[in-house]
């Protein structure tokens, strides 16, 4: 059995702890952490005042005043700087634990996941149910003194992992944007459809004004969409035009299916000048807007 899991080789793991950790993180991040308890988790972003994404984290509660914040990848120093930017007199400490934790995503059955968890020390594994590739998947975060040995244990249980190319193609073809590839400091969080990373009821956090205003208006100037093309020569950054030859946006990321001579991609498109299902064109290649 193979292809049931993927290892994030550049995952960034931070522990935030201290008497003020929960209050500080709740004010810094876009989602509500006030009532979250062990072993619950959520997804949340650190934003600029303009609502742009500096980091997108899965937040695991380990104790009432201690949290693990996990990012798929990105520049570690920048992620830590963004997370701790507003710590002044707050009793909060941030610790880089990236070298002693591994992050995987798996589509394995529940009984397979349970068997895998039993391979590791009690309390060293955190699980979050989420859809990255298809329904029923989960992220597994594992504390380990020897990442290489832990990965061998996982492979024994779940078979060979997806390659980076295979994971990327499946992710993009299913319309699952990721940080930092499509979600980054150049975009507003809700432009990427990441409403599950936002609490619209908790009150103030950095970037809230922009997020709340765009939600109240009900319209963003642009939106990340999944698009498909009938050819594989689609460069990232290329302009996309509609049936009238009008430029409506640009390609952000591309995954190629050489076998079927097709490409799936994410594109940032201007709101109001297209609809899901519309025909589009990119450098002479025909395509269609599929939506997230």
């Amino acid at each position: 059995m193979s292809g049931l899991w993927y290892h994030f080789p550049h995952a960034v793991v931070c522990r935030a702890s201290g008497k003020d950790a929960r209050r500080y993180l709740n004010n810094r991040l876009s989602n509500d952490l006030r009532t979250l308890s062990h072993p619950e988790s959520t997804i949340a972003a650190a934003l600029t005042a303009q609502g742009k994404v500096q980091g997108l984290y899965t937040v695991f509660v380990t104790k009432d005043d201690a949290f693990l914040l996990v990012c798929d990848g990105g520049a570690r120093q920048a992620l830590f700087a963004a997370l701790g930017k507003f710590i002044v007199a707050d009793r909060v400490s941030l610790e880089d634990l990236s070298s002693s934790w591994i992050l995987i995503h798996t589509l394995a059955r529940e009984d397979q996941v349970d068997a895998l968890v039993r391979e590791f020390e009690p309390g060293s594994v955190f699980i979050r149910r989420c859809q990255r590739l298809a329904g029923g998947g989960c992220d597994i975060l594992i504390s380990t003194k020897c990442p290489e040995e832990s990965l061998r244990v996982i492979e024994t249980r779940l078979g060979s992992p997806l390659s980076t190319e295979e994971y990327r193609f499946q992710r993009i073809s299913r319309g699952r944007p990721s940080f930092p590839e499509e979600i980054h400091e150049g975009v507003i969080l809700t432009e990427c459809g990441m409403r599950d990373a936002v609490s619209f009821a908790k009150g103030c956090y950095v970037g809230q004004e922009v997020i709340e205003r765009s939600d109240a208006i009900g319209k963003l100037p642009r939106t990340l969409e999944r698009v498909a093309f009938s050819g594989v020569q689609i460069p990232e950054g290329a302009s996309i035009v509609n049936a009238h030859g009008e430029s409506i946006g640009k390609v952000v990321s591309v995954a190629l299916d050489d076998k079927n001579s097709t490409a799936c991609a994410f594109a940032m498109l201007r709101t109001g000048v297209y609809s899901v299902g519309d025909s589009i064109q990119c450098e002479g290649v025909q395509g269609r807007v599929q939506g997230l």
Side-chain angles (χ1 to χ4, degrees):
M1 190 176 299
S2 63
L4 285 175
W5 64 288
Y6 174 71
H7 169 233
F8 296 88
H10 306 297
V12 177
V13 181
C14 170
R15 179 164 59 198
S17 59
K19 188 173 182 179
D20 298 329
R22 184 182 295 268
R23 180 192 57 77
Y24 174 78
L25 291 176
N26 194 64
N27 292 337
R28 178 67 185 101
L29 301 179
S30 59
N31 222 333
D32 196 342
L33 276 64
R34 290 174 296 180
T35 61
L36 215 61
S37 60
H38 176 76
E40 293 176 322
S41 61
T42 191
I43 186 168
L47 307 177
T48 68
Q50 294 74 37
K52 302 294 182 68
V53 185
Q54 295 180 301
L56 183 65
Y57 307 88
T58 299
V59 184
F60 295 93
V61 184
T62 60
K63 294 190 300 183
D64 187 59
D65 59 355
F67 303 81
L68 291 172
L69 295 97
V70 186
C71 194
D72 293 355
R76 187 177 303 178
Q77 186 174 358
L79 286 164
F80 273 79
L83 202 56
K85 184 175 181 179
F86 298 98
I87 296 176
V88 181
D90 306 274
R91 290 162 290 187
V92 183
S93 63
L94 302 178
E95 184 181 359
D96 186 353
L97 302 181
S98 304
S99 63
S100 58
W101 291 81
I102 58 174
L103 175 67
I104 71 167
H105 181 76
T106 181
L107 298 174
R109 302 187 312 268
E110 187 172 347
D111 62 305
Q112 292 174 300
V113 172
D114 290 342
L116 177 61
V117 169
R118 288 195 293 270
E119 295 278 1
F120 299 96
E121 293 292 327
S124 66
V125 180
F126 292 85
I127 299 174
R128 175 173 171 77
R129 300 289 173 184
C130 58
Q131 294 186 16
R132 290 181 182 264
L133 304 179
C138 65
D139 284 358
I140 304 179
L141 181 67
I142 303 170
S143 176
T144 176
K145 295 179 180 179
C146 183
E148 295 79 8
E149 177 59 31
S150 295
L151 290 171
R152 284 194 289 269
V153 170
I154 296 169
E155 187 162 355
T156 298
R157 283 288 182 181
L158 302 182
S160 300
L162 292 167
S163 68
T164 297
E165 293 75 19
E166 289 170 331
Y167 172 77
R168 188 172 184 274
F169 180 81
Q170 290 197 31
R171 178 181 68 77
I172 294 178
S173 65
R174 287 170 170 79
R176 307 293 184 187
S178 180
F179 182 92
E181 193 165 13
E182 294 89 21
I183 305 170
H184 48 71
E185 200 164 351
V187 301
I188 295 172
L189 181 63
T190 45
E191 288 180 331
C192 302
M194 297 298 298
R195 291 181 64 86
D196 59 339
V198 178
S199 169
F200 291 94
K202 74 166 186 171
C204 294
Y205 60 90
V206 179
Q208 179 203 16
E209 184 177 348
V210 173
I211 301 299
E212 294 280 359
R213 186 190 309 122
S214 65
D215 185 67
I217 295 172
K219 182 179 178 181
L220 290 158
R222 57 183 191 167
T223 306
L224 188 73
E225 298 283 12
R226 181 170 53 104
V227 296
F229 294 97
S230 57
V232 296
Q233 302 302 317
I234 307 297
E236 294 179 359
S239 178
I240 293 176
V241 299
N242 61 17
H244 306 291
E246 177 188 10
S247 177
I248 62 171
K250 291 186 176 182
V251 175
V252 175
S253 55
V254 183
L256 305 178
D257 184 356
D258 293 318
K259 182 178 179 180
N260 297 309
S261 296
T262 58
C264 54
F266 280 113
M268 191 64 78
L269 304 180
R270 288 191 291 117
T271 304
V273 297
Y274 73 93
S275 297
V276 173
D278 280 359
S279 295
I280 54 174
Q281 197 174 93
C282 180
E283 299 202 343
V285 179
Q286 297 295 321
R288 192 170 297 278
V289 180
Q290 296 186 312
L292 290 183

